[in-house]
Amino acid sequence: MSKLTTGAATSGTHYDAVIIGAGFSGLGMLHHLNELGMRSRVFEAASGVGGTWFWNRYPGARTDSEFYYYSFSFSREVREEWKWSERYPAQPEVLRYLEFVAQKLDLNKDIAFNTKISRAQFDEDANLWHVTTDQGETYTARYLISGMGVLSTPSVPNIKGVQSFKGSIYQTATWPKEGVDLTGKRVGLIGVGASGVQIVPVIAPVVKDLFVFQRTPNYVVASSNYAVDDEWMTQIRANYDDIHKQATAHGFAVPFAKPSVGAKDVSAQERERVFEAGWKEGGFHFMLETFNDLATNEESNAYASDFIRQKIRETVKDPLKAELLCPKDYPFNGKRPPGGHGYYETFNRDNVHLVDIRPNGIDEITATGVRVGDQHVELDVLIFATGFDAMTGALTRIDIVGRDGLVLRDKWKDGLKTNMGLAVNGFPNFFMILGPQTPYANLPVAIQEAVGWVSRAVAFAETNGIACMESSVEAENAWAHEVHRAGSATIMAQGGAAHAWFLGANIPGKAREFNVYMGGADVYFKQCTEIAENGFVGFHEAALAPAG
Ligand code: N01
């Protein structure tokens, strides 16, 4: 391994590793490779670190997971010095945290900002990746690692007439850094996923009128946010290692207790008591700490769905609005449930209007607003909170070219194939942090595990003189089979109306399949550890060659 040096990226430079993206994944990966003594360079399209938390600056953006498992635990320095202020930290705080991580771990010197990678091509003769930026600069690297994020490629539907709109258009996923003054404006919001659900209560008191265009209502679970006091922070600091250990032993990578009974197996009274306690605790606790079969048993899921609908009807005073806000044609968890911060309560305001656009969506955007059937809504501002081309979007938008000219997006045209979501046959020495087919789970914990695993794999290759780490065909066929099996065992693909991103079903033309592993993050982490302990079996047999 070459010795770590610092300095600006100069076209033509060779690195041990090129990492794409400086969010949680890229920063964690860079730190681990630095610890191995490798010379790495991160290329980041934005002007700063943060990834998702750099771009998603819309009002109300905050984590849906609590701070103590939505962070890294590997750095003693970081965890002992950083203090979180809220149970669910807001976007500016998460961004400041990642800036702090980069500064504390001395990562900025190895990151080229404002630089997009447009192409990466594997050179089979030299066992090197040739990486090209959008400025035409080229670099070579032994390893290519994607840290581009799973929900980082915004999807904006091409609604008829959108170009004719004379007002202002914003996307939650690319919200202007300088903010937007919505005071006294007539604002239309398209999309009520996690992003839309967060922005609604924050902008409603500011705008003149807010029109929420809803195609599919969500099951929004109350979050219950509050300040983190010194005592709580001290207690978390003392237990970071245990928290991480508990999270990696959980199916969703959260440090939660695992319920031992199903909702259908207890009395109605007990069910109500448990659901109520979960609702009060808030957020993912309702989904994960109440009963153990909400994602797998229809009857139990129906109880949870009924409970949430009841909460909506109790909260929203106008019965017509309440019914429109109740999801009815797909199960709870059929889409990723957003965390609410006064979402349903906001619909009791006189200036918040719910526009039902089922089933066909918006008919047209005009110069002055939005038309749905006979109704024309006059607007000054239109906000798109319409989601992302998840899991594969970033990876298929640049040309990643492997052996024999095979392009990654072409490889996945007829179905996803990866080895544990970490590597792909035909793409030697290429690793993905949270590639498709990795677990549906709390991401910072999954990222911490993935960067640890990839750095072990790299160290293994370097130590054993393995020129190419490359997934075997057999291993990725087996993993594709397991991803399909695990997904099919859930009820999460049910409901024609649920255009869930984890199924690829929110993107027109994208194959409908599980883009994530539903078999449990705990099971997945265990398998990854076993693979590593068994000499990375399945990850290098495809290209056994002497070290160059
Ligand atoms: O996107 P989404 P998101 N006409 O795909 C609607 C993470 N996240 O950005 O359901 C009209 O969930 C679409 O309608 P429908 C989190 O993992 C996390 O909100 O397809 N509407 C839906 O309502 C989350 O799950 C956090 O009928 C259209 C919405 O747009 C993921 O990101 C915060 C439309 C998209 O919902 C994605 O969330 C934010 C059209 N043509 C995001 N096209 C936190 O943890 C789409 N829609 C805090």
Side-chain angles (χ1 to χ4, degrees):
M1 285 178 242
S2 50
K3 209 165 159 278
L4 181 72
T5 56
T6 63
T10 309
S11 189
T13 308
H14 174 73
Y15 297 102
D16 292 327
V18 157
I19 301 163
I20 315 176
F24 269 99
S25 298
L27 296 179
M29 192 70 250
L30 175 60
H31 171 67
H32 279 69
L33 293 183
N34 282 351
E35 285 198 324
L36 289 181
M38 298 190 79
R39 184 172 187 246
S40 311
R41 173 67 46 176
V42 175
F43 292 96
E44 167 56 61
S47 60
V49 301
T52 284
W53 299 101
F54 179 94
W55 296 107
N56 286 261
R57 295 168 188 255
Y58 60 87
R62 61 177 67 248
T63 68
D64 272 354
S65 303
E66 293 146 291
F67 69 95
Y68 57 93
Y69 52 89
Y70 201 88
S71 46
F72 286 139
S73 70
F74 58 70
S75 163
R76 188 164 293 277
E77 241 182 324
V78 168
R79 64 195 205 190
E80 281 178 5
E81 283 185 45
W82 182 259
K83 181 185 180 316
W84 292 100
S85 72
E86 289 183 278
R87 183 184 185 197
Y88 301 99
Q91 174 272 332
E93 188 169 14
V94 185
L95 182 58
R96 280 199 304 278
Y97 168 76
L98 289 169
E99 288 167 351
F100 177 78
V101 169
Q103 178 240 318
K104 263 286 136 195
L105 303 178
D106 195 20
L107 304 177
N108 288 315
K109 66 183 185 336
D110 297 317
I111 306 173
F113 293 107
N114 301 305
T115 311
K116 247 183 168 162
I117 298 298
S118 54
R119 185 180 176 85
Q121 177 147 15
F122 187 68
D123 176 341
E124 296 183 46
D125 297 328
N127 279 333
L128 285 180
W129 282 94
H130 291 265
V131 178
T132 312
T133 71
D134 59 352
Q135 305 296 312
E137 293 153 351
T138 57
Y139 301 91
T140 54
R142 191 151 152 71
Y143 300 97
L144 175 69
I145 302 172
S146 165
M148 288 191 279
V150 298
L151 292 150
S152 53
T153 306
S155 160
V156 181
N158 188 17
I159 298 173
K160 183 181 162 198
V162 65
Q163 289 86 359
S164 68
F165 186 62
K166 295 275 188 290
S168 308
I169 294 185
Y170 300 99
Q171 290 173 39
T172 47
T174 55
W175 199 259
K177 213 171 170 177
E178 62 281 8
V180 179
D181 185 7
L182 297 173
T183 314
K185 299 270 173 37
R186 294 166 303 177
V187 176
L189 172 74
I190 304 176
V192 289
S195 308
V197 162
Q198 287 188 331
I199 200 172
V200 162
V202 180
I203 62 172
V206 175
V207 302
K208 180 169 184 287
D209 282 293
L210 175 61
F211 294 87
V212 179
F213 296 93
Q214 175 190 267
R215 189 166 64 184
T216 310
N218 249 303
Y219 292 93
V220 181
V221 178
S223 290
S224 184
N225 192 22
Y226 39 82
V228 177
D229 60 19
D230 287 346
E231 193 186 332
W232 193 11
M233 199 63 232
T234 305
Q235 184 204 338
I236 294 298
R237 277 200 191 109
N239 290 293
Y240 261 121
D241 287 336
D242 288 343
I243 290 167
H244 184 76
K245 199 167 159 212
Q246 197 187 347
T248 55
H250 189 283
F252 287 89
V254 290
F256 288 6
K258 292 185 194 171
S260 53
V261 285
K264 64 178 182 349
D265 302 321
V266 299
S267 68
Q269 206 183 10
E270 174 63 1
R271 201 159 43 233
E272 189 68 13
R273 187 193 68 73
V274 173
F275 276 144
E276 199 57 54
W279 189 263
K280 211 164 158 217
E281 186 64 21
F284 293 131
H285 292 273
F286 178 83
M287 173 180 155
L288 302 173
E289 271 189 329
T290 49
F291 296 105
N292 65 9
D293 60 351
L294 300 186
T296 50
N297 183 275
E298 277 184 53
E299 185 187 341
S300 293
N301 186 284
Y303 290 128
S305 305
D306 283 343
F307 181 90
I308 298 174
R309 281 191 286 267
Q310 193 49 36
K311 286 287 178 198
I312 299 170
R313 290 177 183 126
E314 283 167 16
T315 309
V316 180
K317 295 194 180 110
D318 175 345
L320 282 177
K321 266 189 189 174
E323 283 317 300
L324 281 180
L325 286 164
C326 283
K328 290 176 186 153
D329 48 9
Y330 71 97
F332 173 54
N333 286 325
K335 293 168 89 77
R336 141 78 152 81
H341 298 264
Y343 177 68
Y344 291 124
E345 288 81 349
T346 307
F347 287 92
N348 291 328
R349 297 178 62 96
D350 292 338
N351 70 333
V352 177
H353 318 278
L354 185 61
V355 186
D356 183 15
I357 58 168
R358 274 175 291 187
N360 296 326
I362 287 163
D363 289 296
E364 188 185 7
I365 295 175
T366 67
T368 56
V370 163
R371 190 173 67 73
V372 180
D374 295 340
Q375 188 183 4
H376 185 269
V377 181
E378 297 280 320
L379 298 170
D380 304 310
V381 176
L382 201 44
I383 299 173
F384 283 88
T386 43
F388 300 87
D389 183 353
M391 307 310 294
T392 57
L395 288 158
T396 54
R397 271 171 184 72
I398 62 178
D399 297 331
I400 300 179
V401 187
R403 283 188 197 283
D404 304 322
L406 179 62
V407 182
L408 191 56
R409 69 176 152 271
D410 293 334
K411 158 123 186 169
W412 289 342
K413 223 169 37 203
D414 300 322
L416 291 170
K417 284 283 169 66
T418 76
N419 192 352
M420 309 297 289
L422 288 159
V424 187
N425 176 261
F427 298 81
N429 291 343
F430 169 61
F431 294 104
M432 300 172 294
I433 307 304
L434 300 191
Q437 303 185 327
T438 45
Y440 183 62
N442 169 45
L443 298 181
V445 167
I447 289 168
Q448 182 162 323
E449 289 303 293
V451 296
W453 188 94
V454 170
S455 70
R456 273 180 87 175
V458 166
F460 173 84
E462 296 292 315
T463 310
N464 292 288
I466 296 171
C468 284
M469 292 290 279
E470 181 182 354
S471 165
S472 70
V473 172
E474 296 73 24
E476 62 181 28
N477 283 344
W479 188 239
H481 185 265
E482 168 59 9
V483 169
H484 177 73
R485 183 210 60 76
S488 309
T490 70
I491 54 167
M492 295 169 92
Q494 286 179 17
H499 307 118
W501 58 257
F502 54 72
L503 287 166
N506 64 327
I507 301 297
K510 191 166 174 176
R512 191 184 164 99
E513 63 177 313
F514 276 96
N515 280 221
V516 290
Y517 179 52
M518 294 287 184
D522 50 349
V523 174
Y524 172 88
F525 296 147
K526 204 162 165 262
Q527 195 169 331
C528 286
T529 303
E530 281 166 13
I531 288 168
E533 283 169 359
N534 290 321
F536 291 88
V537 59
F539 280 86
H540 55 89
E541 295 84 348
L544 272 182

